[in-house]
Amino acid sequence: MAAKFLLPALAAVFLIAALWRISREGFKLGPASRTWLLIALIFGAVSAWLWWSSM
C-alpha cells in the first residue's frame, strides 16, 4: 500500500487517540495529549505533502 494512502489513516488514528486522551483528562491539554496531537500533525503534514507532490 502506498504511503500517501496509509499516512492520512494514521494521522486520523492519532488524532482520535489525542481526542480520547483529552476527554479522559477532563478536557485539559496535558503532555501526553500534546504528544498525540503533535504526531497526528506530523503525519497529516507529511501525507498532505505526498499528495501535493504527486499531482
Side-chain angles (χ1 to χ4, degrees):
M1 182 179 278
K4 73 177 188 175
F5 298 119
L6 187 60
L7 289 176
L10 285 174
V13 168
F14 283 117
L15 182 62
I16 290 169
L19 294 175
W20 178 68
R21 181 75 183 204
I22 290 170
S23 69
R24 264 187 50 203
E25 294 176 344
F27 296 99
K28 294 179 183 173
L29 198 60
S33 304
R34 283 183 287 198
T35 302
W36 289 114
L37 285 173
L38 180 64
I39 292 171
L41 178 70
I42 290 169
F43 274 102
V46 170
S47 68
W49 179 75
L50 285 173
W51 276 96
W52 188 18
S53 67
S54 68
M55 291 176 112

